[in-house]
Amino acid sequence: MTERWRQLLDQLGQELEQQAAQLKDLEDKNRQLLDAEAARKGRLSHASRDSEDSIEVEGGDVVPNVIPRNYHERGSRVSVMDSMEVDPLVPNPPPSLLRPQRPSQASVASLADATKLLAAEKMQLSVLRAEKTIEFAAQRPWWVINPDSNRFSHVWQVVTNFALAFVALVTPLQVGLLEIDWDALFVITWCVDIVFMIDMVLQFITMYPRTTARGMELEYRPSKIAKHYMMTWFCLDFATLIPLDTIGLLAGADRLKDLRSIKIIRVLRLLKLMRLLRSSKLTHRIEIPVSIPYQHVALLRFLLVLILACHWLACVWAMTLKLVDEKYPQWINEIELADAPYGIVTRESPLRIYIASYYFCCYTMTSVGYGDFGPRNVLERMACTWIVLTSGLSWAYILGEVCAIVSEMTAESQRFRKKMHHLNSLMEEQGLPASLRCRLRSFFLQNRHQAQHLTRQKLLDHLSPQLHAEVCTALNLPWIQKVTFFRQFMGLVEALEMEGIHTAPFRACIAEVSRELKVAAFAQREIFDNVQVLYILSKGLVALNSRVGQNGVVWGEDFVLSDTSLIRPVAGFALTYIEVRRG
């Protein structure tokens, strides 16, 4: 451990020396540039020359012509940069820094070939980029919607989710209880149908994920998108958009309006609720900026599912009243007899029917079974059998999931209680003294939160190296700053960053130091010493030789010394239960 820290410090010292040397070289170059710029300004009055004394190179820049005239007369192609000696660290050198040099015939020919090859490579690269751009533009038309990056798609998903919520809550009531009429609810239903109609059209131009050998990819070809939609959701979407109620109202056919079998077709709209499964991306976008308590959200979700299932079953149970003639006995007869003395006609109040239906479905699903009313005819018995089976399976599933969630929420407490049970059993079997038993129990009780912290620290093993380093630095930086030379080192790193100097190796050193800091705990009255170990107290009181240290005290800073005779020995005595960071 000590050798590793010593190597890190040596590397750090070498890196600082190299940075200082480079900084000095940059200062010298900067001084040369300033002198050259001053010389150039002094010669501006002599800048007027013949056209033969200058050359215009690619990009419009004009540089002094230092090529002899006889080379132009022979038609030789000479590069300006090959005919002069230029400091590569000085951009745009002034004429005073250019020294003419006679190039050889071989260098001229090789330079010409290299120039041609470079131009060909540039042209080939430009053609390749253009081909890829044209190919990508041809493959993905501009009007195809990417659901992951298109802002309109995100807004439209929220709109369709509200429409689905309306279908989930209102459509069952329309099917089971309410009559068709020209009212505000009918207009809202029409607006929802328009939303679904627009959504059906958009599905033909919205990319969908598909599985390939390279993983999940979005399909962007319009023909494939249309074929996929036609084979999956199109038939259902089209069937649920047939305006049967509107046809009946416009035709004035009361028989069509009263035909319950046609009205039941509207129940198909409930199948559109499966589209809510597509809203996982919206949930994912919410999970990134917001910390979601998943277990509490799961409990709330199951509660809402239970309420919604009872709502659907209640509407189905209420619908049986319209499918059976009133001359036959029905489940609502007992309720009518109870309401009649008060002048209440139960059948004329959809709200009373819904409350009675919801009450029946709630105690049926939860298996309470009051039995104050039940099915009275064959259709009601068939419907009730289906309700009992459906509600029984739903209730069993919800109970199992809720029990699993609650068990997971208390998993840490259960593990701690199990650990304390094993500890008590061990002490009882081994016959340990009462005072030692008390110390052991006290240590485990005080160390409970640290054990939970260590368990959560295992999550860091699943991170990428860069994220792991950043998280370790963020967690241990307050403790590292307690050490004097580490605090000075981090101040130096910040100063270098302010000057624009690359400090990634220094940050990596800080991250490595953060990784090496481990959490340890000592019981009260426990004695320990430092043998080339750094200690940072994070909780409790400790006696260090003749002084008392509290939260934040540091000792063992001389662990970096290779000569152990130079290390100052410090004996630690835990006055209370203490927790330390050591490395």
Side-chain angles (χ1 to χ4, degrees), residues 261-274:
S261 59
I262 293 180
K263 192 175 182 181
I264 295 173
I265 296 177
R266 294 175 60 89
V267 179
L268 291 175
R269 288 191 178 183
L270 298 178
L271 298 178
K272 296 174 73 70
L273 293 174
M274 295 179 64

Side-chain angles (χ1 to χ4, degrees), residues 195-216:
V195 169
F196 287 133
M197 189 179 302
I198 297 174
D199 184 69
M200 185 176 67
V201 175
L202 292 177
Q203 292 302 315
F204 284 98
I205 58 174
T206 302
M207 293 188 290
Y208 68 93
R210 60 186 179 92
T211 304
T212 63
R214 298 178 297 275
M216 296 297 295

Side-chain angles (χ1 to χ4, degrees), residues 519-534:
V519 180
F522 296 96
Q524 187 179 12
R525 294 184 291 175
E526 190 168 348
I527 300 174
F528 54 94
D529 54 8
N530 65 316
V531 182
Q532 291 186 317
V533 178
L534 173 67

Side-chain angles (χ1 to χ4, degrees), residues 245-256:
D245 298 339
T246 306
I247 294 174
L249 288 173
L250 293 177
D254 295 337
R255 185 176 180 182
L256 183 61

Side-chain angles (χ1 to χ4, degrees), residues 378-506:
V378 176
L379 181 62
E380 290 178 358
R381 292 187 183 95
M382 293 173 60
C384 189
T385 301
W386 178 78
I387 289 174
V388 168
L389 293 176
T390 304
S391 60
L393 293 175
S394 302
W395 182 244
Y397 171 74
I398 291 174
L399 280 182
E401 290 295 326
V402 170
C403 291
I405 293 171
V406 174
S407 177
E408 185 178 355
M409 292 174 64
T410 60
E412 293 180 351
S413 299
Q414 292 178 3
R415 285 195 295 267
F416 177 75
R417 289 193 295 267
K418 187 176 181 180
K419 184 188 298 184
M420 293 299 294
H421 171 71
H422 291 322
L423 175 65
N424 291 327
S425 300
L426 173 64
M427 294 187 298
E428 186 67 27
E429 292 174 358
Q430 301 299 325
L432 298 181
S435 59
L436 183 57
R437 293 185 185 185
C438 293
R439 290 182 61 194
L440 287 173
R441 294 192 189 97
S442 175
F443 178 81
F444 274 96
L445 289 171
Q446 292 175 330
N447 189 250
R448 177 178 181 179
H449 297 291
Q450 185 194 14
Q452 295 176 359
H453 172 73
L454 293 176
T455 301
R456 296 189 180 98
Q457 286 288 100
K458 295 179 181 179
L459 293 174
L460 301 181
D461 298 335
H462 303 284
L463 298 178
S464 63
Q466 181 66 28
L467 284 177
H468 192 182
E470 292 180 8
V471 172
C472 288
T473 303
L475 291 176
N476 293 319
L477 188 61
W479 304 111
I480 294 177
Q481 290 178 339
K482 302 290 184 181
V483 185
T484 304
F485 56 84
F486 282 147
R487 183 170 60 252
Q488 295 175 352
F489 171 63
M490 286 185 287
L492 175 62
V493 172
E494 293 177 357
L496 293 176
E497 288 180 346
M498 294 292 293
E499 296 177 3
I501 299 176
H502 182 64
T503 60
F506 308 148

Side-chain angles (χ1 to χ4, degrees), residues 92-104:
N92 301 326
S96 61
L97 298 180
L98 301 177
R99 295 186 294 275
Q101 181 182 10
R102 182 184 181 89
S104 64

Side-chain angles (χ1 to χ4, degrees), residues 247-428:
I247 294 174
L249 288 173
L250 293 177
D254 295 337
R255 185 176 180 182
L256 183 61
K257 291 168 56 179
D258 296 334
L259 190 56
R260 308 305 177 190
S261 59
I262 293 180
K263 192 175 182 181
I264 295 173
I265 296 177
R266 294 175 60 89
V267 179
L268 291 175
R269 288 191 178 183
L270 298 178
L271 298 178
K272 296 174 73 70
L273 293 174
M274 295 179 64
R275 288 191 176 186
L276 289 174
L277 299 176
R278 303 181 185 178
S279 63
S280 58
K281 295 181 180 179
L282 181 63
T283 305
H284 178 69
R285 287 192 290 271
I286 297 175
E287 290 175 350
I288 294 177
V290 180
S291 177
I292 299 178
Y294 291 97
Q295 296 167 338
H296 297 81
V297 171
L299 289 176
L300 180 61
R301 183 177 67 249
F302 284 118
L303 177 61
L304 294 177
V305 168
L306 178 63
I307 294 174
L308 189 60
C310 289
H311 170 69
W312 291 346
L313 295 177
C315 293
V316 172
W317 185 241
M319 187 176 61
T320 59
L321 298 177
K322 297 184 178 181
L323 300 178
V324 178
D325 197 276
E326 296 183 6
K327 66 180 180 180
Y328 296 104
Q330 295 176 319
W331 62 267
I332 202 172
N333 293 340
E334 287 83 356
I335 301 177
E336 287 181 321
L337 293 175
D339 292 342
Y342 304 98
I344 300 174
V345 181
T346 307
R347 289 181 181 270
E348 295 180 358
S349 175
L351 178 61
R352 289 182 174 272
I353 297 176
Y354 176 76
I355 293 175
S357 301
Y358 199 90
Y359 164 73
F360 172 79
C361 293
C362 282
Y363 73 64
T364 301
M365 175 171 285
T366 56
S367 67
V368 175
Y370 290 118
D372 45 355
F373 60 88
R376 299 291 301 275
N377 53 60
V378 176
L379 181 62
E380 290 178 358
R381 292 187 183 95
M382 293 173 60
C384 189
T385 301
W386 178 78
I387 289 174
V388 168
L389 293 176
T390 304
S391 60
L393 293 175
S394 302
W395 182 244
Y397 171 74
I398 291 174
L399 280 182
E401 290 295 326
V402 170
C403 291
I405 293 171
V406 174
S407 177
E408 185 178 355
M409 292 174 64
T410 60
E412 293 180 351
S413 299
Q414 292 178 3
R415 285 195 295 267
F416 177 75
R417 289 193 295 267
K418 187 176 181 180
K419 184 188 298 184
M420 293 299 294
H421 171 71
H422 291 322
L423 175 65
N424 291 327
S425 300
L426 173 64
M427 294 187 298
E428 186 67 27

Side-chain angles (χ1 to χ4, degrees), residues 72-309:
H72 289 289
E73 294 172 358
R74 292 194 301 265
S76 300
R77 300 176 62 186
V78 181
S79 173
V80 175
M81 296 305 296
D82 281 346
S83 64
M84 62 183 90
E85 294 181 0
V86 184
D87 191 346
L89 295 179
V90 182
N92 301 326
S96 61
L97 298 180
L98 301 177
R99 295 186 294 275
Q101 181 182 10
R102 182 184 181 89
S104 64
Q105 190 70 22
S107 64
V108 172
S110 61
L111 180 60
D113 295 338
T115 304
K116 292 180 181 179
L117 180 61
L118 181 60
E121 290 179 352
K122 288 184 177 180
M123 180 62 68
Q124 184 179 3
L125 181 60
S126 301
V127 172
L128 181 61
R129 289 178 176 174
E131 289 178 352
K132 286 186 174 294
T133 303
I134 295 173
E135 181 183 0
F136 180 77
Q139 287 179 349
R140 180 188 171 186
W142 64 269
W143 40 266
V144 173
I145 299 175
N146 186 340
D148 293 336
S149 59
N150 190 286
R151 293 184 178 180
F152 170 77
S153 178
H154 300 163
V155 176
W156 183 251
Q157 190 175 26
V158 174
V159 174
T160 53
N161 284 341
F162 277 110
L164 289 172
F166 176 85
V167 170
L169 297 175
V170 179
T171 299
L173 294 174
Q174 292 177 320
V175 172
L177 292 169
L178 304 178
E179 296 292 340
I180 305 172
D181 200 358
W182 298 101
D183 52 10
L185 184 60
F186 183 82
V187 175
I188 296 175
T189 304
W190 248 105
C191 294
V192 172
D193 290 341
I194 293 174
V195 169
F196 287 133
M197 189 179 302
I198 297 174
D199 184 69
M200 185 176 67
V201 175
L202 292 177
Q203 292 302 315
F204 284 98
I205 58 174
T206 302
M207 293 188 290
Y208 68 93
R210 60 186 179 92
T211 304
T212 63
R214 298 178 297 275
M216 296 297 295
E217 293 183 354
L218 290 176
E219 180 59 66
Y220 54 82
R221 291 171 290 186
S223 59
K224 295 291 185 179
I225 296 174
K227 182 179 178 181
H228 176 265
Y229 181 59
M230 292 290 292
M231 296 178 63
T232 53
W233 289 94
F234 175 75
C235 294
L236 178 61
D237 291 347
F238 183 78
T240 55
L241 288 176
I242 299 176
L244 298 175
D245 298 339
T246 306
I247 294 174
L249 288 173
L250 293 177
D254 295 337
R255 185 176 180 182
L256 183 61
K257 291 168 56 179
D258 296 334
L259 190 56
R260 308 305 177 190
S261 59
I262 293 180
K263 192 175 182 181
I264 295 173
I265 296 177
R266 294 175 60 89
V267 179
L268 291 175
R269 288 191 178 183
L270 298 178
L271 298 178
K272 296 174 73 70
L273 293 174
M274 295 179 64
R275 288 191 176 186
L276 289 174
L277 299 176
R278 303 181 185 178
S279 63
S280 58
K281 295 181 180 179
L282 181 63
T283 305
H284 178 69
R285 287 192 290 271
I286 297 175
E287 290 175 350
I288 294 177
V290 180
S291 177
I292 299 178
Y294 291 97
Q295 296 167 338
H296 297 81
V297 171
L299 289 176
L300 180 61
R301 183 177 67 249
F302 284 118
L303 177 61
L304 294 177
V305 168
L306 178 63
I307 294 174
L308 189 60

